[in-house]
Each structure stands twice: as structure tokens, then as C-alpha cells.
Amino acid sequence: MPVLVASDLDRTLIYSAAALALTMPDARAPRLLCVEVHEAKPLSYLTETAAQLLTDLGDTAVFVPATTRTRRQYQRINLPGPPPRYAICANGGHLLVDGVTDADWHRAVLTRLAEACAPLAEVREHLLRSADPAWVRKHRVAEDLFAYLVVERELLPEDWVKELAVWAEHRGWTVSLQGRKIYAVPQPLTKSAAVREVARRTGAELTLAAGDSLLDADLLLAADRGWRPGHGELAGTGWTAPGISALPERGVLAGERIVREFLKAVRQRG
């Protein structure tokens, strides 16, 4: 039976230039490979060692990127190794099969959201009304499924995020602060649901996962084994659970360690 490896991307496997600062002084930085270019500018990286490990992983397991990115944002990424047959975008709102949205899956997601939580319009209106333009740089809606803000972290009032989280929870939504972005995502919109569907289709009996944010917690809990880096929302709260390894590495070296752990677990299974 194949092993399914589902991993978050940003700040788990790949890192922006800003996120690279989590790693180490420039003089000790590892050699990097750029895996995302947008508007002629390099955006995201992983180490050259991680790139080789990820290529080996793609040859021995069902590797599934599981991201909160929109489909368009995901398709900018050019990961090393064989192209993933399955990819999860918009936090589980879209399941891509050979790069194409599975329409039946998406319709089922929309039905589930309509039955289980407050509508997107209500949440977006609250964000527009309550967020201060002094520290908000962008308001965005992703795939008509969830909303997020791009903010100036140094100006962001700490209590505002906590208050938003309480308000959202009563309406069936989750709030996640990741770098300069504040996400408001419906609670039923999960990566884990999409991963279970991929496991069903592939016949995988072992699922491995990695992630760094609150939106990855359900993915980690649904896996047989999981890893989180030494940075991010989950590390910041000391979050862990049975079967979850909390790694000490931070930044791009954590991404390399995660791929190494994936590959080790797959080979042990074989």
C-alpha cells in the first residue's frame, strides 16, 4: 500500500525571503533553490538538500501539497521531483487532480459550508468594519471561500486578533495569524477532509503530515505521524499531540528536516 505524505507549503517546506530570516545569519545560510517566481521576482525557496530529498520522496510516496493558497497562487510554485498527482488548495476547498479541480469535491465543500457556518459575506463585512486602516494593507477574499488581511505586524493590536477569534468562533469560523496575514476560515473547510479523500482514492494506509499554523492542526491530528517546525503558530503555543514531533529547527532548515523525516518514515515502512 502507498504511503501518503501531505504537507503544508509556506513556512513549512518553502520559505519567502522574509521567512528566511528565521534561519541563521546570512554568512551561515545554506545553498537555496528558488521554487516560485511572480512578476519576474523570486519569491520562495528551499535548500538544495531539501530539493533532492523531495525528489526522492516523490519517487517513493504519494506526495500531496496541502496549502491555504488559492489555486492560482499554488500554480506559481515549481517544486522539484515528479509533479504531484493530487494537490489541496484553499485549505481544502479545492482538490486538484493532475492540476484540474475536482468539481464534485468542490460542490460537496460548498454544501457543507452552507449548512455549518456563517456566510463569508458576514465575516468579510465584520473585517472591513473592525480592522483599522492604520495597520491593514490589503483586504482579500480567496476563491470565494474565506477572507484574509495583510497587515503591518508592528502596528497590529494584540487584543484585536484575540477578539476577532472569539467573534469568529461563535459563527463557525477559525482565525489564524501567519506572518503578516490574518486568515478567517470556515471551521468545516479543512485540509484533513481533503487528505482523507486522497487516502481513500489511493488506498494509502499510512498518512504522514507536516504544518506550522493553526490551520494545519487538523491535518496533523488526522495523520498517523506528523511534524511541526520550531517556529509558527503551533510552536508559539507549544501545541503538540500524540504522534506529533515538535522539531527544534526553525526556518528553511526546518523544511529540510521535515522532508528528511518524511523520507525516513517512508523507507522504514518499505
Side-chain angles (χ1 to χ4, degrees):
M1 294 294 180
V3 177
L4 193 159
V5 177
S7 182
D8 175 51
L9 294 178
D10 295 282
R11 292 181 171 239
T12 298
L13 287 190
I14 66 174
Y15 291 81
S16 67
L20 290 174
L22 293 167
T23 306
M24 58 180 61
D26 290 349
R28 295 177 56 203
R31 288 170 59 91
L32 300 172
L33 175 69
C34 178
V35 293
E36 179 185 15
V37 175
H38 181 52
E39 296 179 348
K41 296 179 181 178
L43 285 189
S44 299
Y45 306 83
L46 42 64
T47 70
E48 289 187 349
T49 299
Q52 182 57 59
L53 293 169
L54 191 58
T55 299
D56 295 342
L57 183 67
D59 290 333
T60 56
V62 179
F63 174 66
V64 181
T67 180
T68 305
R69 286 179 175 232
T70 65
R71 289 169 291 174
R72 180 174 293 181
Q73 291 168 338
Y74 166 71
Q75 287 163 350
R76 296 199 303 247
I77 299 172
N78 184 17
L79 293 172
R85 172 82 195 279
Y86 298 97
I88 295 162
C89 296
N91 215 62
H94 287 281
L95 175 60
L96 305 187
V97 183
D98 294 326
V100 178
T101 291
D102 185 311
D104 291 339
W105 173 260
H106 184 60
R107 279 192 293 269
V109 168
L110 294 179
T111 298
R112 189 162 65 246
L113 297 186
E115 295 171 347
C117 58
L120 171 62
E122 178 183 342
V123 175
R124 189 182 185 211
E125 193 278 331
H126 180 79
L127 291 174
L128 290 168
R129 185 179 67 250
S130 62
D132 191 335
W135 43 263
V136 173
R137 294 296 169 258
K138 297 177 183 177
H139 289 262
R140 291 289 185 266
V141 171
E143 302 272 21
D144 291 323
L145 291 169
F146 60 89
Y148 65 93
L149 306 176
V150 180
V151 302
E152 295 290 348
R153 281 293 295 268
E154 63 273 14
L155 302 177
L156 177 67
E158 183 178 347
D159 288 344
W160 188 85
V161 177
K162 296 178 181 177
E163 292 167 3
L164 176 64
V166 172
W167 181 91
E169 184 176 9
H170 290 308
R171 289 157 179 82
W173 286 63
T174 296
V175 171
S176 174
L177 176 60
Q178 304 178 35
R180 296 176 58 238
K181 293 181 179 179
I182 302 172
Y183 291 90
V185 177
Q187 290 176 3
L189 187 66
T190 64
K191 297 178 182 179
S192 61
V195 166
R196 290 189 185 98
E197 175 63 13
V198 176
R200 184 189 68 81
R201 297 187 188 191
T202 60
E205 292 186 347
L206 178 69
T207 298
L208 311 175
D212 71 301
S213 79
L214 180 62
L215 296 178
D216 297 314
D218 69 285
L219 172 63
L220 294 171
L221 291 172
D224 297 290
R225 292 184 63 188
W227 291 264
R228 68 158 174 81
H231 63 261
E233 274 186 307
L234 298 181
T237 60
W239 182 91
T240 190
I244 306 301
S245 298
L247 301 176
E249 290 88 351
R250 294 165 51 84
V252 71
L253 292 181
E256 182 179 310
R257 172 73 184 275
I258 285 168
V259 186
R260 194 182 304 277
E261 293 295 331
F262 281 154
L263 193 57
K264 179 180 176 182
V266 171
R267 287 171 172 169
Q268 287 175 341
R269 175 75 170 186

